[in-house]
Amino acid sequence: MEVQSKRSEVFCLYNLKKQAGVVYKRLFVQVAYLIGISLLAYGLFYWQKPVNLTEELDGGALFGIYCIAIPGTVLFWSVLSVTVSNLVRNRWIGMGVVLLFWFFSISGKATQFLKNWGPFSYGTCDFGKLTEWRWLGGKVLCVVFAGMMLAFVPKILKKRG
């Protein structure tokens, strides 16, 4: 953002703690916005009372499961994109790397390999058996990896200079 607005020199003059704070604040706003929009959009879908495809779960239960699954997904992909972009110091290369990783993670081979531990673990479960919670391991793993990447933000900023 600083490069685009030609303020990168000023941003680099901040101490490392303030730089990391700015990154964390922007990331928080981004994640909160994306989670809010996702929940609103999916909530509006269930507000229309669509036909239920499974007798085991009603629309409210499916929306509740979505409310549990989507924050981990959004957090992981948002933090990954910011981390990779900061590491390579180019947002386009960063987006490309994340896009390649996304394509890999939704592929059939990755789904077979990662099973319930992938970023899209709820996609591997039978639609009517989402309450078995096997997919939750992948969401927890995404949150753990996002936390680890967030912990490395100051080191990345220091390396980047």
Side-chain angles (χ1 to χ4, degrees):
M1 190 167 177
E2 277 73 26
V3 172
Q4 190 176 23
S5 63
K6 299 185 182 7
R7 296 182 300 183
S8 59
E9 296 84 15
V10 174
F11 184 75
C12 290
L13 293 175
Y14 290 159
N15 64 26
L16 191 60
K17 188 175 181 179
K18 188 167 183 172
Q19 286 180 12
V22 168
V23 171
Y24 290 143
K25 190 183 307 179
R26 289 180 184 164
L27 195 56
F28 173 77
V29 170
Q30 172 184 328
V31 169
Y33 174 77
L34 290 174
I35 290 172
I37 289 295
S38 299
L39 294 177
L40 178 68
Y42 213 60
L44 288 175
F45 172 75
Y46 280 110
W47 177 62
Q48 297 174 17
K49 299 189 183 350
V51 175
N52 195 358
L53 300 175
T54 177
E55 287 112 30
E56 298 169 13
L57 298 171
D58 65 342
L62 288 173
F63 181 69
I65 290 170
Y66 180 80
C67 289
I68 294 169
I70 199 63
T73 304
V74 169
L75 178 69
F76 174 73
W77 290 105
S78 295
V79 172
L80 181 66
S81 66
V82 167
T83 303
V84 172
S85 294
N86 278 331
L87 274 174
V88 297
R89 299 185 76 181
N90 186 314
R91 67 177 166 242
W92 296 107
I93 294 174
M95 285 188 280
V97 168
V98 171
L99 184 65
L100 288 174
F101 183 66
W102 182 76
F103 278 133
F104 167 74
S105 65
I106 63 170
S107 71
K109 294 287 184 195
T111 303
Q112 289 173 351
F113 177 71
L114 298 172
K115 295 189 180 17
N116 296 328
W117 297 101
F120 298 110
S121 55
Y122 52 85
T124 63
C125 295
D126 181 20
F127 186 69
K129 297 181 181 176
L130 288 173
T131 54
E132 288 181 5
W133 305 107
R134 293 178 299 154
W135 56 269
L136 197 56
K139 297 290 112 196
V140 169
L141 201 58
C142 284
V143 171
V144 167
F145 281 141
M148 289 169 45
M149 287 185 280
L150 285 172
F152 283 110
V153 165
K155 289 179 178 36
I156 293 168
L157 291 172
K158 185 176 182 180
K159 175 191 169 279
R160 179 176 91 157

